[in-house]
Amino acid sequence: MQTSVIDIRPAQAADARAYLCFLKAVAKETPYVALPAELATLTPLFTEFLIASILESQQDVLLLAFDQQQIVGAIRVNSPTEQGLTHISEVSIAVLKAKWHRGIGSDLMAHLLASVREIGNPRRLELTVQARNHRAIALYKRFGFVTEAQLAAGFYAPETGYIPVVQMCQLMNMDEEI
């Protein structure tokens, strides 16, 4: 099922308050996304600073999916700054539960991969997904991610205990000189 008109664009500093509300909503409604404990204490001002730092980065990306004025999905590429690791980035994606199964995750992933190809960096995208999240794993495989490892007890959920996770990656832009 395809969604209604969804606008996907890079985050702007002015999106900070709405992005923070989105993250808090996702944290409450899904067992599949691990968000930092500090989320409860994040302020809109700090979130604005975070978005500004992403915008200044040469390879970090934060794309937001809007349904009207509401953020309904987000995808982020976060890159380390340590020498020798700057070609690697971690991908994280979330969609509000009410908007699941409407193509928003696919649209976000397609936009993200197009952005990464255009930037030419990073060269390696990584993500970790709970093994029980079969739909997410299928999405990532559809977009070219491959499984590198499955880790026993990779995530702990109070309601179910320890859960295995799957580590996946995709190499990109490898034919270009770094």
Side-chain angles (χ1 to χ4, degrees):
M1 170 193 266
Q2 196 61 19
T3 183
S4 59
V5 177
I6 298 293
D7 179 37
I8 296 177
R9 64 165 174 77
Q12 302 167 2
D15 296 322
R17 186 174 302 278
Y19 180 57
L20 186 56
C21 289
F22 166 78
L23 290 175
K24 289 181 178 183
V26 167
K28 288 180 186 173
E29 68 185 19
T30 179
Y32 296 128
V33 178
L35 293 167
E38 304 85 44
L39 180 62
T41 60
L42 283 182
T43 65
L45 183 61
F46 182 81
T47 307
E48 187 175 328
F49 171 77
L50 173 69
I51 292 172
S53 69
I54 292 168
L55 291 171
E56 291 174 9
S57 169
Q58 295 297 314
Q59 64 190 52
D60 288 356
V61 177
L62 174 58
L63 300 175
L64 302 176
F66 288 85
D67 186 354
Q68 312 259 328
Q69 300 297 318
Q70 181 188 17
I71 296 174
V72 296
I75 191 165
R76 181 173 178 201
V77 168
N78 187 28
S79 304
T81 56
E82 294 87 0
Q83 186 174 1
L85 300 177
T86 58
H87 67 288
I88 301 170
S89 291
E90 175 99 16
V91 176
S92 57
I93 184 172
V95 174
L96 290 178
K97 192 171 186 177
K99 301 293 183 173
W100 286 2
H101 314 302
R102 298 184 184 192
I104 296 170
S106 293
D107 290 347
L108 282 165
M109 186 63 75
H111 278 75
L112 176 77
L113 294 177
S115 293
V116 168
R117 283 185 193 95
E118 183 179 319
I119 294 168
N121 230 344
R123 306 304 171 107
R124 178 183 169 87
L125 296 175
E126 300 176 337
L127 58 86
T128 302
V129 58
Q130 294 176 24
R132 66 183 178 171
N133 194 347
H134 303 289
R135 285 185 177 263
I137 292 169
L139 169 77
Y140 304 141
K141 285 181 178 179
R142 205 167 55 246
F143 280 94
F145 285 81
V146 296
T147 299
E148 286 195 314
Q150 182 163 333
L151 307 176
F155 183 81
Y156 179 78
E159 67 280 357
T160 56
Y162 292 99
I163 299 168
V165 298
V166 176
Q167 291 182 327
M168 302 180 80
C169 84
Q170 181 175 161
L171 300 179
M172 299 186 67
N173 304 314
M174 294 303 287
D175 54 337
E176 303 166 13
E177 195 63 34
I178 294 183

